[in-house]
């Protein structure tokens, strides 16, 4: 029995892999293994012999099973060691560089403008970019013969042949959103409408798609004085310094009276600075909402009145961040954005994000 023990313990200790170990297990302690055969012989022994040989065989079987288990664990450890040697990962290596984006100046300025008006109690309203000619023109008191409705100024969609309804238009201003909001909520109302607008125009100072924010405040006792205060508050917050405004009489079909609004600025070395100096820069149009427009939005002009204004977001962005050319907004190169201080999205912006 001692020979059997030495033989198997040696073979187990030298086994090269799990397969060899399994073979040894079958050979030694399997159903037809050497030890099992020896156990069968117990029946032929005298009770005295059996009392000695039986426990010895059991102890040997247990010892071999333990040696098999220990060797199996040792082989698994060695295999793991081997894998760890070849499959190690240097977690201290710098990560692969990722392409970094940047917030677009138009998005940033839209957020800045929205935050300032939100502080003054204006909600944001949005609407479709493809409009009916009613919402884009008629409801705003822009008559059929007005030059804005000419095909060379506005993008029209095609109707199917035989469909004689007026074509839809790409909205030329965000005013239709205000008509829709008036219909939906009635008066009083205080909203701004930022968004994309389209005009068939393309040169150094115009692009066929640009961005506007329009404002509307309607109540029982709204006046031009409220309009002037709101606009001065807005410009001072937006440019971070007190900005004087100047109203000049003007004409728009949707407001009466109407005013163009200039902001105080200086021109030095070809650079414009807002909120200082003795020059004026025209930045927006405004006025008291025309009674016909109130009526088109379902509001009684005998009971309510209000002001409205419109301003170009692209223009505001150029003024605030010193961007000289509109075409920069359509350039996908990030370098110009960085040049004007627009950092990538996961870094703090140079100008601290919102202006307030
Ligand atoms: C309703 C009633 C009146 C909005 C207004 C202007 C004057 C205006 C321009 C400024 C620069 C457009 O982006 S721009 O080219 N806008 O001059 N907009 S009053 O008047 C409204 C709007 C909605 C219901």
């Amino acid at each position: 029995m001692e020979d059997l023990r030495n033989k198997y313990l040696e073979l187990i200790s030298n086994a090269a892999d799990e397969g060899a170990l399994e073979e040894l297990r079958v050979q030694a302690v399997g159903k037809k293994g050497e030890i099992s055969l020896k156990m069968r012989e117990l029946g032929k022994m005298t009770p005295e012999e059996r009392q000695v040989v039986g426990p010895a065989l059991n102890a040997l079987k247990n010892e071999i099973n333990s040696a098999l288990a220990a060797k199996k664990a040792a082989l698994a450890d060695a295999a793991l060691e081997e894998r760890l040697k070849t499959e190690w990962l240097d977690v201290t290596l710098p990560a692969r560089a990722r392409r970094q984006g940047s917030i677009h100046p138009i998005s940033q300025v839209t957020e800045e403008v929205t935050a300032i008006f939100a502080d003054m109690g204006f909600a944001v309203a949005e609407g479709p970019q493809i409009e009916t000619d009613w919402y884009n023109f008629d409801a705003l008191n822009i008559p059929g013969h007005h030059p804005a409705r000419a095909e060379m100024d506005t993008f029209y969609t095609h109707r199917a042949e035989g469909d004689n309804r007026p074509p839809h238009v790409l909205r030329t201003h965000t005013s239709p959103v205000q008509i829709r909001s008036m219909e939906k909520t009635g008066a009083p109302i205080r909203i701004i409408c930022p968004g994309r607008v389209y005009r068939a125009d393309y040169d150094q100072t115009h692009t066929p798609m640009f961005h506007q924010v329009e404002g509307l405040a309607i109540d029982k006792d709204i006046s031009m004085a409220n309009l002037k205060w709101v606009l001065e508050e807005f410009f001072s917050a937006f440019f971070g310094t007190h900005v004087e405004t100047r109203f000049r009489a003007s004409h728009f079909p949707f407001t009466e009276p109407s005013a163009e609004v200039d902001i105080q600025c200086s021109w030095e070395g070809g650079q414009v600075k807002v909120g200082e100096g003795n020059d004026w820069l025209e930045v927006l149009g405004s006025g008291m909402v025309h009674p016909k427009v109130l009526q088109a939005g379902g509001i009684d002009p005998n009971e309510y009145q209000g002001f409205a204004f419109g301003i170009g977001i692209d223009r505001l962005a150029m003024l605030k961040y010193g961007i000289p050319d509109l075409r920069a907004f359509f350039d996908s190169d990030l370098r110009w954005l960085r040049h004007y201080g627009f950092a990538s999205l996961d870094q703090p912006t140079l100008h601290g994000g919102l202006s307030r």
Side-chain angles (χ1 to χ4, degrees), residues 140 175 178-179 182 199 210-212 214-216 252 254-255 283-287 289 293 308-312:
L140 286 146
S175 316
Q178 328 215 42
I179 300 287
M182 286 156 73
R199 292 191 195 166
F210 60 105
H211 305 80
Q212 269 191 345
E214 288 197 350
L216 178 71
F252 304 110
F254 25 84
T255 47
V283 281
L284 64 72
S286 65
V289 180
V293 175
F309 60 85
I311 187 163

Side-chain angles (χ1 to χ4, degrees), residues 2-23:
E2 194 56 27
D3 289 349
L4 210 54
R5 180 177 176 274
N6 291 340
K7 171 178 136 187
Y8 278 112
L9 289 186
E10 166 125 27
L11 284 171
I12 289 169
S13 147
N14 294 333
D17 52 37
E18 264 194 59
L21 267 190
E22 178 59 13
E23 267 177 41

Side-chain angles (χ1 to χ4, degrees), residues 196-237:
R196 286 191 176 146
V197 299
Y198 303 85
R199 292 191 195 166
D201 223 348
Y202 188 45
D203 58 37
Q204 269 203 313
T205 52
H206 298 89
T207 52
M209 186 279 290
F210 60 105
H211 305 80
Q212 269 191 345
V213 57
E214 288 197 350
L216 178 71
I218 296 173
D219 211 326
K220 292 202 165 162
D221 54 0
I222 298 259
S223 73
M224 290 283 267
N226 300 130
L227 170 65
K228 191 164 200 298
W229 181 85
V230 163
L231 292 180
E232 277 190 4
E233 279 294 299
F234 165 69
F235 284 118
S236 299

Side-chain angles (χ1 to χ4, degrees), residues 309-322:
F309 60 85
I311 187 163
I313 292 176
D314 312 60
R315 216 41 227 298
L316 276 182
M318 290 167 79
L319 272 176
K320 181 162 178 178
Y321 295 106

Side-chain angles (χ1 to χ4, degrees), residues 112-123 190 229 233 237 356:
E112 290 173 11
V113 169
T114 304
I116 296 166
F117 279 107
D119 271 359
M120 292 192 271
F122 286 78
R190 222 187 296 178
W229 181 85
E233 279 294 299
R356 307 202 305 164

